[in-house]
């Protein structure tokens, strides 16, 4: 599936919330370099890719971007301070609430599950690729995964190093 920008939807992070954050490429200082969610129709493309085509977003595109930015800060900072998470009314029973299929709530639950488990949070990594900024959960046995996608960022880094060696000789 592709977004309106022609970019293919990719799921590499290992958790719903992290894949949501990866709907944008980020600079080192946390600014969005390239946003794949240009329209709410692009959000539907992503939802289908993650298997949530029936979920609904209950806000504007700008609210989605604010929510994504706050969540990224919370996850990279290791805590949910400043992240406003709405999980329905406190007296609402859990099962009817889950049937509501609020995309904001489902993403929030995923983020909170990452933040609540220190072992999982310790395996959240930021791709070192140039202007990538994608986040992923390193689920390898020895925790040595470095790139969001070896085929993209890893190969770019390898080819850059190879070119630098060639030029130096």
């Amino acid at each position: 599936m592709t977004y309106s920008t022609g970019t293919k939807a990719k799921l590499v992070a290992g958790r719903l919330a992290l894949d949501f954050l990866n709907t944008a490429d980020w600079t080192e200082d946390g600014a969005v370099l390239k946003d794949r969610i240009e329209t709410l129709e692009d959000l539907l493309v992503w939802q289908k890719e993650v298997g949530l085509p029936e979920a609904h977003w209950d806000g504007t595109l700008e609210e989605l971007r604010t929510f994504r930015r706050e969540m990224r800060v919370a996850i990279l900072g290791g805590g949910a301070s400043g992240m406003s998470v709405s999980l329905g009314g406190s007296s609402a029973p859990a099962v009817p609430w889950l049937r509501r299929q609020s995309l904001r709530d489902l993403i929030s639950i995923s983020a909170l599950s990452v933040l609540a488990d220190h072992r999982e949070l310790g395996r959240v990594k930021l791709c070192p690729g140039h202007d990538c900024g994608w986040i992923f959960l390193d689920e390898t046995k020895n925790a040595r995964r470095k790139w969001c996608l070896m085929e993209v960022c890893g190969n770019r880094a390898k080819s850059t190093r190879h070119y630098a060696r060639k030029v130096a000789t």
Side-chain angles (χ1 to χ4, degrees), residues 71-136:
M71 182 175 295
R72 187 172 192 273
V73 168
I75 288 179
L76 289 179
S81 62
M83 184 172 124
S84 61
V85 177
S86 168
L87 296 177
S90 58
S91 62
V95 174
W97 170 76
L98 287 174
R99 286 189 202 134
R100 218 177 61 216
Q101 295 271 343
S102 164
L103 186 59
R104 183 187 312 255
D105 291 349
L106 294 170
I107 293 169
S108 296
I109 290 169
S110 175
L112 289 172
S113 72
V114 171
L115 290 167
D117 185 345
H118 72 278
R119 294 164 301 179
E120 193 160 292
L121 187 59
R123 286 191 171 234
V124 171
K125 293 185 177 178
L126 182 62
C127 181
H130 178 68
D131 287 337
C132 174
W134 278 19
I135 299 170
F136 59 91

Side-chain angles (χ1 to χ4, degrees), residues 28-45:
E28 287 183 27
D29 63 349
V32 173
L33 182 67
K34 178 181 180 183
D35 198 336
R36 286 164 176 75
I37 308 290
E38 292 288 330
T39 65
L40 290 176
E41 288 76 29
D42 286 333
L43 180 61
L44 291 174
V45 168

